[in-house]
Amino acid sequence: MGIAVSPQIHPQVAEFIDKPRKMLINGQWVNAASGKTFPSYNPATGEVLAKVAEGDREDIDRAVRAAREAFDNGPWRRMTASERGRLIWKLSDLLEQHTEEFAYLESLDNGKALGIARAADVPLAVDLLRYMAGWATKIEGNTIPISVPYTPGAKYLAYTLREPVGVVGQIIPWNFPLLMAVWKLGPALATGCTVVLKPAEQTPLSALRLGELIMEAGFPDGVVNIVPGYGETAGAALAAHSDVDKVAFTGSTEVGKLIVHAAAGNLKKVSLELGGKSPNVVFKDADLDTAIPGSASAIFFNHGQCCCAGSRLYIEKSVFDKVVDGVADEAKKIKVGSGLEPDTQMGPLVSEEQLQRVCGYLEAGLSEGAKAVVGGHKAKDRGYFVEPTVLIDTRENMKVVKEEIFGPVVTAMPFTDPEEIIPRANDSTYGLAAAVWTRDISKAHRMAEQLRAGTVWINCYNIFDAALPFGGYKQSGWGREMGHDVLNLYTQTKAVCTKLG
Ligand code: NAP
Ligand code: MG
């Protein structure tokens, strides 16, 4: 365990990963019922980083029972909205105080650059918790004037209550391990739900450390339960569990469909945040000094392991060469290395499996006739590194253009007629995000209206805020996370109708 870690490691992180990590059920840190553990790897070296209790059906069952009891009979339901909000705020303060520790954990477990985890992942998680803490006291119903034509003369008082949906199963991916945990936990806690969270097998550590802070903040036992384990076992058991009222999932579209099937047994509510193949459109009238680095960061941020990565780059023909060369130059400048090295800008991919997937796409693209202007291969002898890659000479029917690669690989394609670009940009089973770079405000907003995507960025990319809803059109998902939209995913409306005497 400690073996995979370099000497500069944060001391509290070294201590945390030194012992096998347990799961959080009903306020207690416990071993798996089976006694089994599984390894989490350091993707910069391929070595085992930590051992983690391996949750399975029985553990999920125990965790769901704890969440059910906490929801039905625990102190959580009797707390005021203000008390709930203050607990969430307290958690945000604790997380902020431990920023450095979480940045190290994220970098070690996921591979991302320490500086990015410190500047983006942790502060975004803190800010989301604060935003959600504020919502706890603002979840309101309505009073509704009703007429009821078949009871003439009668008078009614009718109103709605927004109530928590109940016990929520949350299944999250490995690309932003802490942030995805918080995107899910924040609104569930603000609305008064109870939770069983299953982190990704590749990156369970930051969610488990967050569990310690959740207990330290003073959330009652059973409100948040965290069960690490594999998707096919723990994840599937959670999605299918008959006592779970809702499942919230982020990950691949393929597994999203399995979740929908698993949820059918008790018709639990489902929200999904799935994959993407987002178009990024650069017009010749764009400010290329910002469009070029912006388009590079659209795909290379987080090593392309973003569901909203700008992976299809469409460039108006007269500026095609200039933009491609510019993005390729940006790619060449990216310092690829271990996340803990201070000058690293891009770390390794998260896992051996992900490395094989991305390299498989590169081989498929190159063998079908695509050309790599920069990159195109695995990097370094050890660890799961890939070169930032720009592919040209691609056609719309190639796998590298159609399918989500989830790595630092962009396909650049020219267009001549601005009218042609909308159908091409929308020609995808996905619809998560899109971007337009232009100085023409009218064109930008006309495009924004016509693009079938949950987020459209104009002259920017990868701008996230706790107040801005995020989610997918088409096969990119169901529902919106963040913003006030997310409250709909964790509440249900009760209509109350009183006949006045
Ligand atoms: P994935 O399999 O969809 O994993 C996402 C989460 O679902 C993980 O916690 C996973 O657990 C769990 N899971 C897997 N199979 C399950 C099942 N049958 N029932 C319930 N839960 C299940 O994603 P992946 O294998 O890590 O990555 C594959 C591809 O998914 C990527 O290359 C990328 O294209 C896409 N992806 C998208 C996002 C996104 O943000 N939209 C994030 C990650 C990946 P385990 O990790 O333990 O298997
Ligand atoms: Mg997986």
Side-chain angles (χ1 to χ4, degrees), residues 199-416:
E201 75 194 52
Q202 298 85 348
T203 55
L205 298 178
S206 55
L208 293 171
R209 181 69 185 105
L210 184 69
E212 294 185 343
L213 298 189
I214 287 169
M215 297 321 295
E216 189 180 334
F219 285 88
D221 293 351
V223 170
V224 176
N225 304 274
I226 305 177
V227 182
Y230 293 109
E232 296 75 7
T233 51
L238 184 56
H241 203 291
S242 59
D243 220 9
V244 170
D245 299 303
K246 171 203 166 62
V247 62
F249 171 79
T250 297
S252 59
T253 294
E254 185 193 347
V255 175
K257 290 179 184 178
L258 296 177
I259 301 285
V260 171
H261 284 288
N266 70 337
L267 286 176
K268 59 176 67 66
K269 316 280 184 266
V270 179
S271 55
L272 303 169
E273 204 265 274
L274 307 176
K277 190 74 185 175
S278 298
N280 180 29
V281 182
V282 180
F283 286 99
K284 66 180 181 209
D285 62 4
D287 172 6
L288 296 186
D289 290 342
T290 58
I292 288 169
S295 298
S297 116
I299 182 66
F300 299 132
F301 175 64
N302 211 42
H303 330 162
Q305 299 171 139
C306 293
C307 45
C308 54
S311 49
R312 289 185 291 144
L313 176 57
Y314 293 102
I315 307 164
E316 198 160 356
K317 192 155 187 177
S318 60
V319 294
F320 183 77
D321 289 344
K322 186 167 181 193
V323 173
V324 167
D325 290 348
V327 173
D329 284 345
E330 294 286 330
K332 284 178 208 153
K333 281 193 270 174
I334 294 172
K335 173 81 177 53
V336 177
S338 155
L340 290 188
E341 281 162 28
D343 53 347
T344 288
Q345 292 165 307
M346 187 187 283
L349 298 183
V350 73
S351 63
E352 168 84 38
E353 187 188 356
Q354 201 57 22
L355 175 70
Q356 297 309 334
R357 258 179 71 97
V358 172
C359 289
Y361 276 111
L362 287 172
E363 279 158 32
L366 297 173
S367 72
E368 284 181 284
K371 187 175 153 225
V373 183
V374 61
H377 304 99
K378 178 183 183 325
K380 303 189 187 289
D381 299 332
R382 155 179 133 113
Y384 313 134
F385 297 90
V386 173
E387 295 170 343
T389 300
V390 178
L391 297 177
I392 57 168
D393 296 345
T394 55
R395 295 179 306 280
E396 306 279 358
N397 60 357
M398 284 182 180
K399 262 166 77 89
V400 285
V401 179
K402 289 223 110 43
E403 296 178 19
E404 182 176 48
I405 298 176
F406 228 65
V409 182
V410 66
T411 59
M413 288 169 286
F415 66 92
T416 38

Side-chain angles (χ1 to χ4, degrees), residues 1 17 45 48 81 105 113 131 149 179 260 289 291 313 322 357 365 368 431 449 454-455 474 487 493 499:
M1 284 172 281
I17 60 180
T45 61
V48 172
L105 259 186
Y131 175 84
L179 189 58
V260 171
D289 290 342
L313 176 57
K322 186 167 181 193
R357 258 179 71 97
E368 284 181 284
E449 193 194 339
T455 295
K474 298 193 264 184
L487 304 172
T493 301
K499 185 163 187 220

